[in-house]
Amino acid sequence: MSDTIERIKCLIIGSGPAGYTAAIYASRADLKPVMYTGMQMGGQLTTTTEVDNFPGYPNGTDGTAMMEDLKNQAERFGTEVRFGMATAVDFSDEIGGIHKVTIDGNKQIEAETVIITTGATAKYLGLESEERLKGGGVSACATCDGFFYRKQDVIVVGAGDTAAEEATYLANICNKVTMLVRKDYFRASKAMEKRVNRTENIEVLYNTELDEVLGDNVVEGVRVVNNQTQEKHEIPVTGVFIAIGHTPNTDIFKGQLEMNDAGYLITHGKSTKTNKPGVFAAGDVQDHEYRQAVTAAGTGCMAALDAERYLGSLE
Ligand SMILES: Cc1cc2nc3c(=O)[nH]c(=O)nc-3n(C[C@H](O)[C@H](O)[C@H](O)COP(=O)(O)OP(=O)(O)OC[C@H]3O[C@@H](n4cnc5c(N)ncnc54)[C@H](O)[C@@H]3O)c2cc1C
C-alpha cells in the first residue's frame, strides 16, 4: 500500500486556525512540523468573506486572506505545508511509540507526535437556494455573523440546544427571531426551551420547515411550509441561520481515539491530550461548545506546547 515512508517529529493534520497556530508554535519550538492541509486549505474560514471578531484586525478581514496570513506565518518559521488528506491512522499505545498516518492512500508518515485539527462541518438542509445564498444571508454561525443582522428580522432553523442558544443570542441583537421547528416539540433541554419562550422577540413556528430561501444575491425572505397542513407562506427576513448541528471530521480516527457520541474527539483535563500518548487534538474537532476561530487558535497553541513537553519528557 505505501510506496514511501517518511519519519518526522511532528505531524499536523488540517489547516484551519487550530492547525496553523499549532504549526507556528511547533516550528518555533524546532519540532520541524509537516502539515497536511486536507481538501479545504485554510479550513472553514475560507468559506466566509467577513471575519469581524478575530483580535488584531480592527477593520475586520476576509477569511481567505486571514488564513493566507496564518499560513505565511507558519511557513516563515519552517513549517512544511503540503496538500493532501490523511486517509488512515495507526496510533501507538506506547509512550514514545511511533504513530503511522497514511496520506492519500499511498504515502506513510511515521511521526513522534500528531496534532489533529481536522475541524467540523456545519450541516445544511441541502436546498439549492440555501447553497446559493451562503454568505449572502445564509449562515450556520450566529456568533460569527449575527452582528451583520443587527436590528433586522432573521430565521433560525432547528430545535436542539444549539438552535435555542443561537436564537436567544440573536434575539439580543436582532429585531425579531422566528424559529422553525420541524416537530411539534423542541429537542432542546427544558431549560433552553424555557429561555426561548421567555424571550419576547422570539416566535416559534412548530411543524414548520424551510421550503425555500428567497432572493437573488442576498436573502430577502423565506417561504416556509407547515408539514401538517402543507400550507405555505412567506416571511420577510434578511438572515437565515441553519442550526441543525455539525459533523466532526473524525471518521478516520474511529476505533483509534476516544470520542463522544457525536464523534468529537475527547481531550483530557485542561490539555489537548487524547487517549494515545503523543497524539493531541485542537480546534473544532474536539470542541462542540465554542467553535470560534480564536478558540481553535488557542487550543492549537496548547497542542503544540503539549507536543513539545511530551517530547521533552521522553529525553
Ligand atoms: C461560514 C462560516 C463563517 C464563520 N465565521 C467565523 C467568524 O467570523 N469568526 C470566528 O471566530 N469563527 C467563524 N467561523 C467558525 C470558524 O471558522 C471555526 O471555528 C474554525 O475555522 C475552526 O478551526 P479549526 O482549525 O478547528 O478547523 P477548520 O477551520 O474546520 O479546518 C479543518 C481543516 O482540517 C482539514 N481536514 C479535514 N479532514 C482532513 C484529513 N482527513 N486530512 C487532512 N486534513 C483534513 C480541512 O481541509 C481543514 O483545513 C465560521 C464558520 C463558518 C462555516
Side-chain angles (χ1 to χ4, degrees):
M1 175 264 291
S2 104
D3 55 16
T4 40
I5 297 180
E6 184 182 355
R7 184 77 167 259
I8 59 172
K9 256 191 187 170
C10 178
L11 173 68
I12 299 171
I13 309 177
S15 57
Y20 282 133
T21 307
I24 292 165
Y25 277 77
S27 46
R28 294 187 85 237
D30 209 24
L31 302 192
K32 299 185 173 45
V34 171
M35 168 189 282
Y36 278 93
T37 63
M39 301 309 282
Q40 192 180 47
M41 193 163 183
Q44 293 174 62
L45 278 189
T46 59
T47 65
T48 187
T49 45
E50 287 182 86
V51 181
D52 252 359
N53 54 8
F54 198 87
Y57 294 94
N59 301 314
T61 183
D62 171 88
T64 304
M66 180 180 140
M67 295 315 297
E68 196 57 30
D69 282 348
L70 283 179
K71 175 172 177 279
N72 291 338
Q73 195 174 355
E75 284 180 329
R76 176 156 78 93
F77 300 113
T79 301
E80 206 179 306
V81 178
R82 301 177 186 167
F83 188 75
M85 283 290 278
T87 46
V89 298
D90 179 9
F91 293 142
S92 169
D93 291 310
E94 308 290 320
I95 294 175
I98 292 298
H99 305 294
K100 296 175 183 162
V101 178
T102 308
I103 305 295
D104 294 333
N106 59 24
K107 178 179 170 67
Q108 192 155 293
I109 300 280
E110 295 190 345
E112 291 170 50
T113 59
V114 178
I115 297 177
I116 298 168
T117 64
T118 49
T121 308
K123 292 184 196 162
Y124 286 90
L125 299 165
L127 301 172
E128 179 279 323
S129 52
E130 170 196 58
E131 180 61 32
R132 183 167 45 81
L133 289 163
K134 269 185 201 168
V138 173
S139 168
C141 179
T143 322
C144 312
D145 296 330
F147 189 76
F148 301 124
Y149 304 95
R150 224 168 131 240
K151 299 201 162 83
Q152 300 172 40
D153 292 356
V154 299
I155 289 276
V156 172
V157 179
D161 277 330
T162 306
E165 252 166 45
E166 303 242 315
T168 49
Y169 176 85
L170 288 166
N172 282 327
I173 307 169
C174 300
N175 179 52
K176 181 178 175 187
V177 179
T178 306
M179 280 188 87
L180 306 185
V181 174
R182 195 151 51 104
K183 301 266 174 63
D184 60 358
Y185 58 88
F186 264 97
R187 272 193 306 105
S189 64
K190 283 286 162 234
M192 279 313 298
E193 184 177 349
K194 267 192 196 153
R195 240 175 97 189
V196 166
N197 290 334
R198 270 204 315 263
T199 309
E200 268 180 16
N201 60 341
I202 300 181
E203 181 185 8
V204 182
L205 302 180
Y206 291 99
N207 294 316
T208 304
E209 296 180 39
L210 186 61
D211 191 49
E212 194 173 347
V213 187
L214 307 172
D216 290 331
N217 300 314
V218 291
V219 171
E220 288 165 10
V222 290
R223 187 169 57 239
V224 300
V225 55
N226 181 305
N227 57 29
Q228 301 298 299
T229 62
Q230 305 312 319
E231 260 174 57
K232 295 185 180 182
H233 73 278
E234 292 184 3
I235 308 173
V237 291
T238 49
V240 176
F241 289 86
I242 310 293
I244 55 174
H246 286 73
T247 309
N249 302 318
T250 53
D251 277 359
I252 59 167
F253 308 116
K254 280 186 183 141
Q256 293 271 325
L257 295 179
E258 283 174 3
M259 13 185 117
N260 70 11
D261 290 344
Y264 285 89
L265 298 183
I266 294 175
T267 50
H268 291 268
K270 248 176 62 182
S271 79
T272 61
K273 294 176 190 167
T274 67
N275 56 310
K276 300 274 175 158
V279 179
F280 307 92
D284 285 13
V285 73
Q286 52 84 57
D287 171 23
H288 55 90
E289 190 79 35
Y290 299 107
R291 285 198 291 253
Q292 290 294 289
V294 69
T295 48
T299 53
C301 158
M302 288 164 62
L305 294 177
D306 285 342
E308 185 201 356
R309 285 169 195 167
Y310 166 80
L311 288 171
S313 73
L314 301 178
E315 280 164 10

